[in-house]
Amino acid sequence: MWDWGSAAFNAVILTFVFSVYLTDAVGDDLPGSISATSYFSWAIGLAGVVIAVLAPISGQRFDARGRRKRSLALLTGLTIATMAGLYFVKDDYRYLWLGLVLLTAGSILFELASIPCNAMLRQVSTPTNIGRVSGFGWSMGYFGGIVLLLLCYVGFIAGDGDTRGLLGLTTDDGLNIRLVALLAAVWFAVSAIPVLLSVPELPATGVDSGAAKAGLVESYRVLFRDLRQLWVTDRRSVWFLGASALFRDGLNGVFTFGAILAVSVYGISAADVLLFGIAANVVAGVGAVTAGRIDDRVGPKAVIVFSLASMIAAGIVLLFVSGPTLFWVFGLILCLFVGPAQSSSRSYLARLAPPGREGQFFGLYATTGRAVSFLAPTLFGLFVWMFDADRAGIGGLLVVLSIGLAALLAVRPPDKAATEKAR
């Protein structure tokens, strides 16, 4: 349910609705030579830097102090507060800065909140069903985003003129979009309640000596000490963090540039892009929940390897075909394997993390992902420039996915001993 509700921030606030309102409406008449879109991209980039710096020590401190659920409640609540605060961002360029500050803060808080949430995966699963639980949760995120986007579109956004949606809301001062932000905040708040009521707080484990009482600087000393120890005792964890950062960036690139390619290369109309986006999220969600059961049988590495190989094959076909029909077919095949790769990556790391240090590992997971997040966009743009064709950008994404796959193949999979014992 937390995954279901989190789509309110990712899909509605950050991707499809409020960010568009902020850049295209609020900042439309912004004075000066710098566009609102540029300011928005810089704000999100700044959030990424802060996340990369804070994530590993945040997870470490949550674990060491036995405050995993309390931290999840606090960070989720603060994220919801920033979402609700967006109601006050009126359609006037003077409110752009308020919107950027709230979105930046919300992005940081949301990513930090996902660390204790992911770290709880072992608490709501067993060694024999951890893949299924992860896949189901990830699919709920996709489906939650679809349902909420449809509610927002039908109720608040659809139509033309001064009133929009079935509710007939006025567009004066962007009221209909500001009310969408309130709906998203309530949606997330209600969805976050079950995990806070149902999952117990784990006591401090004492696994990380000194971490519970460490200050900010000392926390980094503990982190580097743990990383050195990890490199000596279980190097595969470090290699997996690096490999997953690479292929996760490729997965993000598929959704980031999919809509652009659909219109510029394959002739999909702007109106049909939203339909394709909904379909893509549906098949990705179905893929995640289905692959979760396979994950428990054959292991997460096999699921990720097969998913990445299938995506690369579908991407190669897309390099050479044309027209909306073939894009729908092979584009959806490609999206079918995004969900399994993402959900099994989460269960893979949960299996690798030593008991009591799950938060620290998922903090490192967030940091490594941010560290290479420039790769897919850079290679996409480079291939487009080199071959003077938008279609060539697919090649850049395939390179990132291929490098990530090659790196993963060299990583030894999680041990099956715990799973076999549980069985």
Side-chain angles (χ1 to χ4, degrees):
M1 288 305 297
W2 195 92
D3 281 348
W4 169 278
S6 69
F9 184 82
N10 266 335
V12 174
I13 300 299
L14 199 58
T15 305
F16 291 111
V17 181
F18 205 90
S19 59
V20 176
Y21 163 72
L22 195 66
T23 54
D24 289 353
V26 177
D28 182 48
D29 54 353
L30 183 68
S33 58
I34 302 176
S35 69
T37 301
S38 294
Y39 282 120
F40 173 77
S41 64
W42 294 338
I44 298 303
L46 174 62
V49 172
V50 175
I51 293 164
V53 171
L54 293 181
I57 63 167
S58 296
Q60 169 188 288
R61 291 157 75 93
F62 301 156
D63 291 340
R65 298 181 180 184
R67 296 177 180 176
R68 191 176 289 173
K69 186 169 76 168
R70 188 184 305 179
S71 300
L72 176 63
L74 176 62
L75 292 167
T76 301
L78 291 174
T79 303
I80 292 166
T82 64
M83 296 164 68
L86 293 171
Y87 171 79
F88 299 100
V89 180
K90 297 182 180 181
D91 186 2
D92 185 314
Y93 73 85
R94 288 171 293 185
Y95 290 87
L96 175 65
W97 316 114
L98 174 61
L100 291 175
V101 169
L102 289 172
L103 274 182
T104 302
S107 297
I108 295 168
L109 292 164
F110 176 78
E111 288 291 340
L112 294 180
S114 70
I115 295 170
C117 182
N118 287 334
M120 287 180 174
L121 182 56
R122 274 184 178 164
Q123 295 172 243
V124 295
S125 63
T126 68
T128 56
N129 70 9
I130 189 170
R132 180 172 34 171
V133 172
S134 180
F136 177 74
W138 210 278
S139 70
M140 287 286 280
Y142 284 119
F143 295 137
I146 295 166
V147 173
L148 184 55
L149 281 172
L150 288 175
L151 286 176
C152 293
Y153 180 76
V154 173
F156 298 75
I157 299 173
D160 298 309
D162 295 332
T163 58
R164 300 290 176 87
L166 289 180
L167 299 178
L169 298 172
T170 179
T171 59
D172 289 347
D173 286 330
L175 180 63
N176 63 321
I177 304 299
R178 290 156 52 206
L179 288 173
V180 164
L182 283 183
L183 173 63
V186 172
W187 179 280
F188 197 2
V190 172
S191 300
I193 292 173
V195 70
L196 301 178
L197 296 179
S198 302
V199 183
E201 181 75 276
L202 291 181
T205 62
V207 172
D208 253 340
S209 61
K213 298 181 179 179
L216 184 64
V217 175
E218 185 61 28
S219 292
Y220 283 102
R221 293 197 182 101
V222 173
L223 174 65
F224 294 138
R225 180 202 69 197
D226 289 347
L227 287 175
R228 287 193 298 269
Q229 181 183 11
L230 190 64
W231 180 256
V232 174
T233 60
D234 191 8
R235 199 165 294 183
R236 63 177 170 173
S237 299
V238 179
W239 286 116
F240 176 73
L241 287 168
S244 70
L246 291 168
F247 68 70
R248 282 184 289 138
D249 189 45
L251 299 177
N252 291 334
V254 169
F255 277 107
T256 300
F257 298 105
I260 297 172
L261 294 170
V263 175
S264 65
V265 176
Y266 299 97
I268 302 288
S269 68
D272 287 342
V273 167
L274 180 59
L275 296 178
F276 179 81
I278 292 173
N281 278 274
V282 168
V283 298
V286 170
V289 73
T290 303
R293 295 179 177 272
I294 302 172
D295 180 315
D296 291 325
R297 294 192 185 98
V298 303
K301 180 177 178 178
V303 172
I304 300 172
V305 168
F306 182 77
S307 297
L308 294 178
S310 300
M311 290 180 66
I312 292 169
I316 291 173
V317 174
L318 284 170
L319 272 174
F320 299 99
V321 301
S322 299
T325 302
L326 289 176
F327 176 79
W328 271 88
V329 172
F330 289 99
L332 290 181
I333 290 175
L334 191 148
C335 291
L336 176 65
F337 294 100
V338 172
Q342 290 175 322
S343 65
S344 287
S345 182
R346 177 165 67 174
S347 72
Y348 196 123
L349 188 63
R351 286 179 168 97
L352 285 178
R357 289 175 60 185
E358 294 90 349
Q360 183 188 63
F361 268 55
F362 277 105
L364 290 168
Y365 189 70
T367 294
T368 52
R370 291 287 177 175
V372 300
S373 60
F374 67 92
L375 197 57
T378 300
L379 285 181
F380 182 91
L382 178 63
F383 274 59
V384 170
W385 173 74
M386 287 173 57
F387 296 96
D388 194 25
D390 287 354
R391 179 191 297 271
I394 298 173
L397 300 181
L398 293 179
V399 169
V400 179
L401 290 173
S402 298
I403 295 173
L405 174 58
L408 180 64
L409 288 173
V411 181
R412 182 164 54 90
D415 297 328
K416 294 184 178 180
T419 300
E420 295 302 324
K421 184 178 179 181
R423 284 176 179 166

